[in-house]
Amino acid sequence: MRLTRAAAVRVLPFALFMVLLAIRGAAPPDGAWGFDPRWIYALAVLAVGALMWRWRREYGELSQQLAPDARELLLAVGVGVAVFALWITLDAPWMRLGAPVAKFIPVGGNGELLWPRIAVRWVGAALLVPLMEELFWRSFVMRWIDSARFEAVDPRQTSAKAVVLSTFLFMLAHTLWLAAIVAGLAYAWLYRRTGRLWVPVVAHAVTNGVLGAWVIATGQWAYW
């Protein structure tokens, strides 16, 4: 299937991010490849961020005119916090796809926190990933399931099939499968209810931002 321009600018940043994460996961943590693999995340943030900045004018749903109003903003924040609370609760062994592995541990040899790496990780998770993933999962995949001409699909009219299938695919990209289902359904519900992509973006950013702060405070690096 040939991607349209509108599809490509949503798919390619996500694909690049996933490829770089796969490389990070395959790289030996001892630096046998000649570099610290924890910095691959920084490369992903810079590369994907550069792509999205270049194509920023093609993301019409993220225009200032479509920003959420005060009520939608409060709803997004509330849902984002609720998803965070469920994310760290729905973590029993049977709720996981594979064993948890902390691939990103920003701790030095003497146990000190490496704040530059933490800052890059938090910025990526809280600011870049919500934009990238909502453009891919909700703006593209969720609407594309209903029609190849996805841009013409009003998110408020997307089908239950589109919500369920896009959430299932979203789940496959995460270790905590049950928490991912809850998150995917929550973000899809916000998009479908308001018709504004900014609303799930804000909710996703709140979830990831609070999760990052919690991970740093508790040292539960496997959640990152």
Side-chain angles (χ1 to χ4, degrees):
M1 181 189 69
R2 183 177 179 179
L3 291 178
T4 64
R5 176 75 181 186
V9 298
R10 290 162 171 79
V11 172
L12 293 180
F14 178 81
L16 175 60
F17 190 82
M18 296 304 290
V19 167
L20 290 173
L21 287 193
I23 294 172
R24 188 190 75 177
D30 60 1
W33 286 3
F35 59 88
D36 187 336
R38 290 176 294 188
W39 282 113
I40 295 178
Y41 191 88
L43 174 62
V45 169
L46 289 174
V48 173
L51 271 184
M52 294 180 65
W53 177 257
R54 179 179 179 182
W55 293 332
R56 65 192 183 281
R57 292 185 178 87
E58 301 192 49
Y59 303 134
E61 287 184 282
L62 297 179
S63 65
Q64 185 176 356
Q65 291 84 354
L66 295 177
D69 59 29
R71 180 177 297 180
E72 291 167 338
L73 191 60
L74 286 174
L75 177 63
V77 171
V79 169
V81 171
V83 170
F84 155 73
L86 290 169
W87 194 274
I88 63 173
T89 302
L90 301 175
D91 63 349
W94 66 271
M95 300 174 185
R96 295 178 179 270
L97 293 173
V101 178
K103 289 291 186 180
F104 184 86
I105 306 178
V107 179
N110 297 319
E112 75 279 11
L113 294 177
L114 304 176
W115 286 104
R117 293 173 185 173
I118 288 174
V120 169
R121 182 69 174 90
W122 191 90
V123 167
L127 301 181
L128 177 72
V129 168
L131 286 167
M132 175 195 72
E133 289 204 344
E134 294 309 312
L135 280 165
F136 177 73
W137 292 115
R138 256 58 69 178
S139 178
F140 172 61
V141 175
M142 185 169 146
R143 294 191 295 169
W144 178 84
I145 290 171
D146 279 343
S147 172
R149 297 177 59 206
F150 71 96
E151 287 184 291
V153 177
D154 185 337
R156 292 167 294 186
Q157 301 299 321
T158 48
S159 66
K161 179 182 76 172
V163 171
V164 171
L165 287 180
S166 62
T167 299
F168 174 75
L169 295 172
F170 178 78
M171 175 205 74
L172 295 178
H174 297 82
T175 301
L176 294 173
W177 66 266
L178 185 55
I181 288 175
V182 171
L185 289 175
Y187 302 148
W189 174 76
L190 287 173
Y191 188 40
R192 197 169 186 269
R193 175 186 173 87
T194 66
R196 298 176 189 265
L197 189 64
W198 271 118
V199 180
V201 166
V202 170
H204 201 154
V206 169
T207 298
N208 288 8
V210 176
L211 178 65
W214 178 82
V215 167
I216 296 165
T218 62
Q220 299 288 331
W221 305 112
Y223 286 85
W224 248 10

